[in-house]
Amino acid sequence: MGKRGRTPITYTLERAGIVRSRVHAGERLTAVCAELKMNVSNFLRWCRRNHFVVNTPEMRGANRNRKRGPYAGLGQTPAKVRRPREGGRAARIAADLRAGLAPHAVAELHGVSYGYVVRLRHEIAAAPPAGPGRNTVKSPGPRAHLRDRNSTIVTAYKTGTSTLILARLHNLTRSRVYQIVTAYSPVTTK
């Protein structure tokens, strides 16, 4: 039986030295590792285990302030544009995206995830071009429904509803309801 899978990339001192010299010359670590077909996380783990220093704290601070390079594929049309099936959910989502609705509104309207809508927007070539203001509407986040629930709990508690009733209503423990109420209520000092 022959060898199965790809040949693993071994991280040697010579390869790490190449990465370090290029990073010290001003290139970004992620770009160098991508060009050398090395996984950044695995490379950094190898560096930690072998006590090999690539970046100094001063260099990391300078890299944060340096302008980032262009991202490949951002705002570009894909090589193969997807054409959703007529009458399908993807076709309805595509129509809403082309009508100008924001991705989070489309996701909420059709009951799908925000990530799916953004990925579909790219696949049908409806993504806005790269540049300033490209994604002015941000994702509501994975915990948007929790913020709504917590504000409902706080207002109900302030009107006099007991923690026991709120816990049963929202399927929580009484201590969790109390934590939510104390975390969202403004602290008053005397």
Side-chain angles (χ1 to χ4, degrees), residues 43-185:
F43 175 68
L44 291 175
R45 185 182 312 115
W46 181 89
C47 289
R48 280 192 307 273
R49 288 180 179 167
N50 294 295
H51 307 290
F52 188 84
V53 178
V54 176
N55 272 339
T56 61
E58 296 82 25
M59 288 179 61
R60 281 193 290 272
N63 280 340
R64 272 188 232 108
N65 298 330
R66 189 181 310 144
K67 187 178 182 226
R68 293 187 184 274
Y71 292 98
L74 186 65
Q76 299 173 356
T77 55
K80 185 177 178 185
V81 177
R82 179 177 169 184
R83 307 245 182 264
R85 182 177 44 85
E86 285 288 324
R89 181 171 62 181
R92 291 192 303 270
I93 292 172
D96 287 343
L97 287 170
R98 288 192 176 108
L101 284 175
H104 68 86
V106 174
E108 192 172 311
L109 180 68
H110 293 281
V112 295
S113 70
Y114 175 81
Y116 172 73
V117 173
V118 171
R119 188 172 58 249
L120 181 66
R121 181 179 70 173
H122 174 71
E123 289 174 356
I124 63 170
R134 178 175 187 274
N135 282 328
T136 54
V137 180
K138 298 290 184 187
S139 166
R143 299 184 180 267
H145 68 285
L146 294 179
R147 286 192 294 271
D148 297 338
R149 180 203 69 187
N150 293 346
S151 62
T152 304
I153 289 173
V154 169
T155 54
Y157 184 79
K158 287 181 179 177
T159 59
T161 309
S162 71
T163 55
L164 179 63
I165 294 172
L166 288 171
R168 287 182 180 163
L169 186 65
H170 294 282
N171 198 20
L172 299 169
T173 62
R174 287 186 291 167
S175 60
R176 181 64 186 139
V177 170
Y178 184 72
Q179 289 172 351
I180 291 169
V181 168
T182 54
Y184 281 83
S185 299

